[in-house]
């Protein structure tokens, strides 16, 4: 498990060589970490952004999601590579190589980001239960909390059961959206065309929405977490083992992030084929999407939407809680029980619901807060993975460092622009 490097691995795997010879399908023991990380890319915040993009501009912005997903693949690979090369996670490397004051400041902002992320994801699950069962938002939040505790409790039997449940929830989201696409019957020719044709259609609003999609691409909490997920699973004994582990890790990332990317594309395409084609271009909330789907595609489609939202909220909320554990444990060497953390991070959501604050608006504001944390995770990641004294033979090649640096600069700039726009300063 993440919390203890001395614990026995769930399946008794200690070395890369043992993993390669344990099963006929060599890739299987290496799969898992990226599926945990990819959950952050299909959280309730993505639902809202993708649905708004599809309803307002049809298939026009499919390419933005494709590009964003490719960037995410590189960044998550760098995070995993840091863990493989150093045997440490990003917060731990920061603590070891930066000043104590800097590490403390990074921890404070990382905790704030983790809590803001968890607020959005927990609210998303509660909204999904509210829409599916037709019960009040507060009792829906209670049910969401119970389910969250149950998912996190799986860690007592090792990390593999937790990974399996998260992967299953990702599968539920994927199946739900495949079914949604069957109902929606989109124009696949237009989907393929706009997947490879960058265009904003001459609309400044499309540019702004694209910034929102790209700005939410990199999730700082899973950059921290993914570097930790590579530990206590498979131990490379030699440089060759490390290279082998990295090679299979890339496959893990590509598969998991491709699934997340396809789900995000499906969200936008469903909204385009359903809302945009019917002239309903102002669907920009989760509740609005659910309400509008039923008269257009029938009750089954709106139920599938709610189920996908519940799966997204529960899985991403659990991952957010784990991220908070990682940043506290390795930035400042302190731990609290995961159940206590889950309870504490649930409180803001209950306060928001009890106060009658618009939950969809809260989701948007939480994404703005999330944007502040991106540079603090991304820049150290690119910096450390480029240094041979940190990474050894797994240090980035110059072209990788250049590409990652450009990506980091673009994402940071886009997030600053998004924050300025949100504040109404531009």
């Amino acid at each position: 498990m993440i919390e203890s490097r001395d614990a026995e691995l769930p399946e008794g795997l200690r070395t890369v060589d043992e993993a390669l010879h344990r099963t006929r399908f060599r890739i299987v023991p290496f799969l898992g970490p990226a599926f945990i990380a990819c959950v952050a890319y299909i959280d309730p915040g993505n639902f809202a952004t993708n649905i708004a993009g599809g309803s307002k501009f049809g298939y026009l912005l499919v390419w933005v999601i494709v590009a964003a997903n490719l960037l995410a693949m590189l960044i998550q690979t760098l995070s995993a590579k840091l863990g493989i090369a150093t045997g440490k996670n990003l917060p731990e490397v920061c603590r070891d190589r930066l000043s104590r004051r800097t590490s403390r400041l990074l921890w404070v902002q990382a905790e704030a980001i983790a809590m803001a992320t968890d607020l959005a994801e927990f609210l998303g699950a509660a909204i999904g239960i509210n829409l599916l069962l037709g019960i009040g938002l507060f009792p829906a939040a209670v049910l969401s909390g119970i389910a969250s505790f149950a998912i996190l409790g799986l860690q007592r039997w090792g990390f593999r059961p937790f990974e399996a449940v998260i992967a299953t929830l990702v599968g539920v989201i994927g199946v739900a959206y495949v079914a949604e696409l069957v109902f929606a019957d989109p124009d696949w020719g237009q989907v393929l065309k706009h997947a490879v044709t960058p265009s904003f259609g001459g609309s400044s609003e499309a540019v702004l929405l694209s910034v929102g999609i790209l700005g939410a691409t990199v999730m700082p909490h899973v950059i921290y977490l993914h570097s930790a997920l590579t530990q206590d699973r498979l131990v490379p004994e030699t440089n060759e083992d490390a290279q082998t582990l990295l090679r299979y890790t890339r496959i893990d990332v590509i598969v998991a992030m491709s699934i997340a990317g396809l789900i995000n594309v499906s969200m936008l395409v469903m909204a385009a084929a359903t809302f945009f084609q019917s002239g309903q271009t102002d669907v920009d909330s989760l509740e609005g999407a659910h309400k509008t789907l039923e008269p257009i595609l029938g009750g089954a489609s709106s139920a599938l939407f709610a189920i996908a939202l519940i799966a997204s909220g529960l899985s991403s909320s659990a991952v957010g809680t784990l991220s908070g554990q990682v940043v506290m444990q390795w930035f400042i060497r302190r731990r609290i029980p995961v159940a206590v953390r889950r309870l504490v991070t649930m409180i803001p959501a209950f306060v928001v619901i009890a106060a009658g604050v618009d939950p969809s608006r809260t989701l948007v504001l939480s994404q703005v807060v999330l944007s502040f944390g991106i540079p603090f995770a991304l820049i150290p990641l690119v910096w450390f993975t480029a240094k041979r004294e940190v990474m050894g033979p797994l240090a980035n090649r110059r072209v990788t460092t250049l590409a990652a640096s450009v990506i980091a600069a673009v994402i940071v700039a886009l997030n600053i622009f998004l924050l300025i726009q949100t504040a109404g300063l531009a």
Side-chain angles (χ1 to χ4, degrees):
M1 295 176 62
I2 291 175
E3 292 85 352
S4 173
R5 294 189 174 178
D6 298 322
E8 288 297 320
L9 292 175
E11 298 178 343
L13 300 179
R14 299 303 299 177
T15 68
V16 172
D17 186 65
E18 288 173 343
L20 290 172
H21 293 88
R22 186 177 178 88
T23 175
R24 179 194 299 179
F25 303 101
R26 289 189 165 194
I27 185 61
V28 172
F30 299 87
L31 297 177
F35 282 83
I36 300 295
C38 85
V39 166
Y41 295 88
I42 48 176
D43 69 3
N46 292 89
F47 273 61
T49 305
N50 294 329
I51 288 170
S55 68
K56 289 181 183 296
F57 301 105
Y59 305 113
L60 183 67
L61 302 181
V62 172
W63 70 272
V64 178
I65 296 177
V66 173
N69 203 61
L70 293 174
L71 302 185
M73 286 182 183
L74 174 58
I75 291 166
Q76 294 305 140
T77 299
L78 292 183
S79 177
K81 182 164 75 167
L82 178 71
I84 293 169
T86 65
K88 300 177 180 179
N89 52 64
L90 181 56
E92 194 174 5
V93 174
C94 289
R95 190 198 67 225
D96 290 346
R97 294 185 172 269
L98 302 175
S99 69
R100 182 176 180 180
R101 176 178 293 181
T102 301
S103 294
R104 293 270 176 175
L105 290 174
L106 286 175
W107 168 66
V108 170
Q109 66 81 30
E111 287 282 11
I113 295 306
M115 291 187 71
T117 304
D118 195 66
L119 169 63
E121 293 159 348
F122 187 83
L123 273 178
I127 292 171
I129 294 173
N130 162 253
L131 296 175
L132 181 66
L133 302 181
I135 62 177
L137 197 55
F138 196 89
V142 173
L143 291 178
S144 179
I146 294 171
S148 297
F149 275 112
I151 293 172
L152 289 171
L154 292 171
Q155 290 184 88
R156 71 182 63 183
W157 290 286
F159 212 72
R160 280 296 189 181
F162 177 80
E163 287 179 349
V165 168
I166 295 298
T168 300
L169 289 172
V170 171
V172 168
I173 302 169
V175 170
Y177 265 94
V178 168
E180 292 275 23
L181 290 179
V182 172
F183 283 115
D185 190 25
D187 184 338
W188 291 109
Q190 287 295 308
V191 173
L192 293 175
K193 173 186 174 182
H194 289 291
V196 296
T197 308
S199 172
F200 297 110
S203 169
S204 59
E205 189 177 359
V207 176
L208 181 59
L209 189 52
S210 298
V211 171
I213 294 173
L214 284 171
T217 297
V218 181
M219 299 290 101
H221 64 294
V222 289
I223 293 178
Y224 295 127
L225 181 62
H226 202 166
S227 62
L229 292 172
T230 60
Q231 302 164 26
D232 285 343
R233 297 173 54 86
L234 303 174
V235 180
E237 297 181 308
T238 64
N239 288 338
E240 290 74 18
D241 281 351
Q243 293 285 357
T244 299
L245 181 54
L246 178 59
R247 183 168 65 252
Y248 282 104
T249 295
R250 287 195 184 104
I251 297 173
D252 184 34
V253 171
I254 290 171
V255 172
M257 296 306 299
S258 294
I259 292 172
L262 289 172
I263 290 173
N264 277 314
V265 168
S266 298
M267 292 178 191
L268 188 145
V269 168
M270 181 277 293
T274 304
F275 305 135
F276 182 79
Q277 295 298 330
S278 63
Q280 301 188 55
T281 60
D282 58 347
V283 179
D284 57 2
S285 71
L286 300 177
E287 298 91 339
H290 179 267
K291 182 178 180 180
T292 310
L293 273 174
E294 185 166 355
I296 299 176
L297 300 181
S301 64
S302 59
L304 286 169
F305 175 83
I307 290 170
L309 182 57
I310 293 168
S312 169
L314 291 178
S315 57
S316 56
S317 180
V319 170
T321 302
L322 288 183
S323 301
Q325 286 288 85
V326 168
V327 299
M328 173 177 279
Q329 181 174 350
W330 298 112
F331 266 129
I332 63 171
R333 292 187 181 276
R334 297 288 186 273
R335 289 183 58 187
I336 59 175
V338 69
V340 174
R341 175 175 289 276
R342 171 71 276 179
L343 183 62
V344 171
T345 54
M346 284 166 47
I347 293 174
F350 280 102
V351 170
V352 167
I353 293 170
V357 178
D358 181 359
S360 291
R361 178 61 177 168
T362 303
L363 281 173
V364 173
L365 292 177
S366 70
Q367 298 304 302
V368 174
V369 174
L370 185 66
S371 298
F372 281 105
I374 293 176
F376 298 101
L378 187 54
I379 292 174
L381 176 69
V382 175
W383 174 259
F384 288 131
T385 54
K387 298 173 76 66
R388 184 164 290 273
E389 61 267 32
V390 176
M391 301 290 292
L394 294 187
N396 294 340
R397 297 177 181 177
R398 288 186 178 180
V399 64
T400 302
T401 299
L402 177 62
S405 298
V406 170
I407 290 170
V410 169
I411 291 176
V412 170
L414 289 175
N415 275 275
I416 292 173
F417 176 71
L418 180 61
L419 291 171
I420 292 174
Q421 288 286 330
T422 303
L425 302 178

